[in-house]
Amino acid sequence: MAFVLVGIATLGAALVTVTTRQLVHAALWLIVALGGLAVEYLLLTAEFIAWVQVLIYVGSVVVLLLFGLMLTRAPIGRSPDADSENRWVALAVAAAAAGTLVWVVVDAFRTTWIDLDGPAQGSTEATGSFLFRHWVLPFEALSVLLLAALVGAIVLSRKGREQAIPDNAARKSTSRENTSREDQS
């Protein structure tokens, strides 16, 4: 029962994440949705995966997203660009994608059985050996991608600052000239 309630709350937070028009609120609701997933992992006794969810996704990805929003000077309040007026098309595509995903997962795991004699599926030992045996390259590729996004945000923020500095210097020199002309008069 707790699993279903947390799942409904997580689904609600995910829906608010994609429907809100304020970017910062979307990022904060994303934290709630990802935290709900961590609670679901805890309820499934996969403690290691739950803590990885909290540390990597809630702790790093969302902070990186907020950091990027702040560095690129994205609009903090309501953004008219966040609404494209294609809600029904987006809803149809989302429903088709969700239906396809559910069908693929059900079809893929229809004949899969859990081995109860081996280590627990969510244990640190089983997860670590599977992760470092099969998923090292995608894990490292994701870290490089996140690093590239951070460097890109820094470059974009510095580019705007360099353009603003000459404008401020020009304004100061113009105001000094105006002040010196008034003093001479």
Side-chain angles (χ1 to χ4, degrees):
M1 184 66 176
F3 187 84
V4 172
L5 290 176
V6 172
I8 291 170
T10 303
L11 178 64
L15 287 174
V16 173
T17 299
V18 298
T19 57
T20 187
R21 293 184 185 187
Q22 297 185 6
L23 293 175
V24 174
H25 288 183
L28 295 176
W29 279 108
L30 182 63
I31 291 173
V32 174
L34 294 174
L37 284 176
V39 171
E40 294 284 30
Y41 287 131
L42 281 175
L43 291 173
L44 291 172
T45 64
E47 294 87 8
F48 178 72
I49 301 294
W51 286 115
V52 167
Q53 174 80 16
V54 169
L55 291 174
I56 292 177
Y57 287 105
V58 177
S60 300
V61 173
V62 175
V63 168
L64 182 65
L65 176 70
L66 289 171
F67 188 63
L69 283 173
M70 286 184 266
L71 281 177
T72 59
R73 297 185 184 107
I76 300 296
R78 290 188 180 270
S79 176
D81 298 337
D83 190 12
S84 67
E85 301 298 328
N86 293 327
R87 293 173 194 241
W88 294 109
V89 175
L91 182 63
V93 170
T100 303
L101 182 63
V102 167
W103 179 73
V104 166
V105 168
V106 167
D107 188 49
F109 293 106
R110 183 174 293 146
T111 59
T112 302
W113 296 94
I114 297 173
D115 181 21
L116 297 177
D117 294 331
Q121 292 297 317
S123 71
T124 307
E125 177 187 351
T127 304
S129 67
F130 186 77
L131 179 69
F132 289 114
R133 231 181 252 145
H134 304 289
W135 294 99
V136 171
L137 187 61
F139 188 76
E140 292 300 322
L142 179 64
S143 67
V144 170
L145 179 69
L146 290 174
L147 179 63
L150 179 62
V151 169
I154 292 171
V155 167
L156 286 175
S157 70
R158 296 227 178 229
K159 189 175 184 180
R161 178 189 280 173
E162 289 171 1
Q163 291 172 353
I165 290 173
D167 292 340
N168 289 337
R171 282 188 209 131
K172 287 180 183 177
S173 66
T174 306
S175 65
R176 286 183 194 147
E177 289 173 3
N178 290 340
T179 306
S180 63
R181 286 182 190 164
E182 289 174 0
D183 291 343
Q184 291 174 355
S185 307

